[in-house]
């Protein structure tokens, strides 16, 4: 904390007359009390800096646009009947921008035919604003089942195998297309996703 200290100047003025001056009588003058010393400035806490490209203290930024992002989908560890993947958005523009919330998703066959996709938004944790500096990333975790649902065939493929997926960034209308190499999605195309978090995605 910075303290403004006002310094007061003390001026003593005297006068003289003509002729011999009698010995002046001495009048006791009370000395002004000493000015209190200003308190020392408080130490300034160091500013925490975020890793390059991730969220952290920064000036306001615009929302990330689809044409300034690229998307990648990487496999995460499977569980019994369940599959997981990380979806990563990376800022490829030359300026900082931010994302907040959930992506949109549509699965398609390799020949671009849409496949039923039912995207579920998981919460908590709730959405948070993630700052993406140039080259910075945000990620979400995807989860789906490979176990056929009640109305799906128990033998053979439960649904067409996706070969492509369209990803729409939060609050955008245009999508990004990326190959889907994660296999079939059962359960009526049900995929759950977390909100975007500061990246990069865990390995």
């Amino acid at each position: 904390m910075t303290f403004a200290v006002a310094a007061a100047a003390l001026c003593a003025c005297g006068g003289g007359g003509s002729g011999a001056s009698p010995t002046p009588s001495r009048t006791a003058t009370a000395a002004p009390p000493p000015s209190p010393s200003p308190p020392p400035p408080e130490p300034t806490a160091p500013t925490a800096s975020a890793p390059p490209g991730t969220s952290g203290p920064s000036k306001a930024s615009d929302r990330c646009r689809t044409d300034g992002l690229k998307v990648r989908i990487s496999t995460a560890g499977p569980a019994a009947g369940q599959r997981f993947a990380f979806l990563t958005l990376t800022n490829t523009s030359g300026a900082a921008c931010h994302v907040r919330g959930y992506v949109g998703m549509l699965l398609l066959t390799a020949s671009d035919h849409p496949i039923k996709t039912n995207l579920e938004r998981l919460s908590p944790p709730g959405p948070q604003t993630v700052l993406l500096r140039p080259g910075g990333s945000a990620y979400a975790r995807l989860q789906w089942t490979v176990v056929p649902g009640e109305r799906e065939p128990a033998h053979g493929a439960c649904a067409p195998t996706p070969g492509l997926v369209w990803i729409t960034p939060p609050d955008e209308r245009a999508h990004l297309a990326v190959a889907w190499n994660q296999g079939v999605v059962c359960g009526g195309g049900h995929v759950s996703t977390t909100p975007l978090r500061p990246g990069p995605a865990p390995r």
Side-chain angles (χ1 to χ4, degrees), residues 19-49:
S21 299
T23 303
S25 61
R26 297 183 178 179
T27 305
T29 304
S35 300
S37 300
E42 295 182 0
T44 303
T47 303
S49 58

Side-chain angles (χ1 to χ4, degrees), residues 17-117:
S18 58
S21 299
T23 303
S25 61
R26 297 183 178 179
T27 305
T29 304
S35 300
S37 300
E42 295 182 0
T44 303
T47 303
S49 58
T54 61
S55 63
S58 177
K59 62 182 181 180
S61 59
D62 294 329
R63 187 178 78 241
C64 295
R65 305 291 178 174
T66 301
D67 59 2
L69 295 168
K70 72 176 180 181
V71 62
R72 180 172 62 91
I73 295 178
S74 55
T75 304
Q82 301 294 309
R83 298 293 183 268
F84 301 89
F86 290 117
L87 180 150
T88 303
L89 292 178
T90 301
N91 180 8
T92 58
S93 73
C97 62
H98 71 267
V99 292
R100 179 182 175 86
Y102 301 83
V103 300
M105 174 185 291
L106 176 65
L107 297 168
L108 302 97
T109 65
S111 54
D112 291 348
H113 292 292
I115 300 173
K116 182 179 180 180
T117 309

